[in-house]
Amino acid sequence: MPSERASITERRRRAAGKLRERGFGALLVSPGADLFYLAGYQIFASERLTCLVLDPDAKATIVCPELEARRAAVGAPDIARATWGETDDPYAVVASLVRAPGVIAVADQMWAAFVLKLQAALPGRDFAVASDITRGLRMRKDDAEVEALRLVSESADRAYARILERPFAGRTEREIGADLADLLRAEGHDEVGFTIVASGANGASPHHEIGDRRIAEGDTVVLDFGGGMRGYRSDITRTVHVGPTAGREEQKVHDVVRRAQEAGYAAARKDATAESVDAASRRVIDDAGYGEFFIHRTGHGIGLDGHEHPYLVRGNREKLEPGMAFSIEPGIYLPGRFGVRIEDIAVIDTDGSARPLNRADHAFATVA
Ligand code: ZN
Ligand code: ZN
Ligand code: ZN
């Protein structure tokens, strides 16, 4: 197996190949998932510019503030550095490293303040988003990336198993959310991204995060949470019932969502289109008469970003390939009443089928 640094070098080589193919002059990447992907180096975005400059001939340089030079040297020992002092112009440093003609690709999440200064420092150049170059690479995960996603997904599974042992009734969504965050860290996450605890009628809003609502017996609660482990993201949703037995409609809706998710799994295979997975899940919910209450796409890619390509949505005819990892997360949201969503991360395996990376039980669990 190639070393980690070797596979990161290979990614830059491929990205440079895309630059040549497209006639681009350079790829400029500020802190974020693309920087971690292409340099193995991560640092929080700040007003001081850090920027990887990648040439079409695969020459890479990290432009960074002097005070971060040591960190950059440790994080990416095999990449050249160009440092700038507090009174220097970092944009001129970047511009001096851009030697090839052509379009400049900048990280999708680069701050506007940086992009505008870079445009001024590189007059006459056209600019494009880096995903033109990196999207196809990042979408097809290598074995080490799939393994990282499996580990972080299983860590989230364990956090879910442990939250089921905690009391829900009488506690607020915020308290359950704090428990989930603690459990994610206890189970190996180095970063908590989000904790959605949507109880009762709050569950009808897919992205309700947490509030001060006090959870009561009889509630249905949507738990959707995730974070990061060595850069790779988790994202899992289960819906639980508070008290000994769920009502008939809650059970029915949960069953429909579970079958919709299974249909998504069955449809997700090599060469199937992204939209066909969405259609398969949606058909189950439509047939059960709840179609108007499934108000979002069926899934999104996941990797170094929590949401990335491919998106499982009507209109996306992109074909699934081995190494693509994405969520399958149908839901039904009944306004003023409750919601149900079930979400796993799956990856297209070398045999062409969708392998679940989350293994937590899909049953409608009851909590106290
Ligand atoms: Zn979401
Ligand atoms: Zn989620
Ligand atoms: Zn998701």
Side-chain angles (χ1 to χ4, degrees):
M1 216 159 137
S3 80
E4 198 190 338
R5 291 311 303 178
S7 53
I8 292 169
T9 303
E10 172 62 17
R11 292 170 186 172
R12 287 198 301 278
R13 206 187 57 74
R14 287 191 192 167
K18 294 261 178 212
L19 289 173
R20 289 196 301 275
E21 217 176 278
R22 307 284 299 272
F24 279 27
L27 177 59
L28 306 182
V29 182
S30 50
D34 277 345
L35 182 66
F36 191 69
Y37 185 78
L38 293 169
Y41 175 54
Q42 199 52 292
I43 183 173
F44 285 107
S46 83
E47 77 290 355
R48 290 186 175 99
L49 180 74
T50 291
C51 183
L52 173 77
V53 181
L54 182 70
D55 263 4
D57 61 10
K59 184 176 179 300
T61 310
I62 293 177
V63 174
C64 65
E66 239 159 28
L67 78 167
E68 304 289 2
R70 280 183 71 88
R71 267 175 89 180
V74 172
D78 51 352
I79 300 180
R81 285 169 304 285
T83 59
W84 55 273
E86 293 283 55
T87 57
D88 295 337
D89 175 3
Y91 309 98
V93 178
V94 172
S96 74
L97 292 164
V98 176
R99 292 176 194 106
V103 177
I104 307 296
V106 293
D108 291 34
Q109 287 135 353
M110 185 183 277
W111 291 358
F114 295 153
V115 177
L116 293 173
K117 293 262 179 54
L118 288 168
Q119 284 179 325
L122 290 158
R125 294 290 189 123
D126 285 330
F127 279 66
V129 287
S131 53
D132 283 0
I133 300 297
T134 58
R135 165 192 165 142
L137 300 175
R138 282 186 47 196
M139 217 164 38
R140 297 167 178 88
K141 271 87 184 166
D142 64 27
D143 291 349
E145 293 187 282
V146 171
E147 179 63 5
L149 282 170
R150 184 183 69 80
L151 291 174
V152 72
S153 298
E154 288 182 357
S155 166
D157 287 347
R158 294 192 298 273
Y160 171 68
R162 288 178 66 183
I163 198 73
L164 296 180
E165 294 161 9
R166 308 263 169 114
F168 276 57
R171 300 176 70 214
T172 64
E173 293 175 345
R174 199 176 299 284
E175 288 167 336
I176 302 292
D179 277 12
L180 276 172
D182 289 345
L183 290 170
L184 282 172
R185 286 194 198 90
E187 291 299 338
H189 277 61
D190 49 42
E191 190 196 330
V192 175
F194 62 97
T195 55
I196 293 174
V197 180
S199 66
N202 289 340
S205 167
H207 275 175
H208 169 83
E209 289 197 1
I210 42 175
D212 291 314
R213 184 180 182 278
R214 206 164 279 285
I215 297 167
E217 184 164 327
D219 279 350
T220 293
V221 186
V222 178
L223 303 169
D224 182 352
F225 52 97
M229 213 166 112
R230 277 173 264 127
Y232 287 85
R233 316 300 298 181
S234 65
D235 187 2
I236 179 173
T237 308
R238 292 293 185 268
T239 302
V240 301
H241 175 76
V242 185
T245 38
R248 282 187 61 178
E249 188 164 23
E250 285 86 342
Q251 289 191 26
K252 183 185 171 198
V253 169
H254 191 278
D255 183 60
V256 172
V257 172
R258 186 155 75 157
R259 286 189 290 111
Q261 214 236 3
E262 283 163 8
Y265 263 116
R269 25 189 343 106
K270 179 177 176 291
D271 291 333
T273 61
E275 70 173 359
S276 71
V277 180
D278 179 77
S281 279
R282 202 166 295 280
R283 191 170 311 117
V284 173
I285 292 176
D286 283 345
D287 289 352
Y290 290 100
E292 66 181 295
F293 304 112
F294 179 16
I295 51 179
H296 55 73
R297 66 190 175 214
T298 293
H300 53 82
I302 190 167
L304 291 170
D305 277 317
H307 287 189
E308 59 181 48
H309 297 286
Y311 291 99
L312 308 185
V313 64
R314 189 158 55 101
N316 185 3
R317 305 224 165 82
E318 217 150 30
K319 285 194 174 157
L320 300 178
E321 290 175 35
M324 288 188 180
F326 46 83
S327 71
I328 304 178
E329 53 175 309
I332 294 176
Y333 309 92
L334 303 177
R337 301 185 59 206
F338 66 93
V340 173
R341 179 167 66 258
I342 300 174
E343 170 180 27
D344 288 327
I345 303 307
V347 63
I348 302 295
D349 229 329
T350 38
D351 72 359
S353 68
R355 173 163 61 100
L357 297 180
N358 292 104
R359 301 279 181 176
D361 196 5
H362 289 154
F364 197 6
T366 56
V367 292

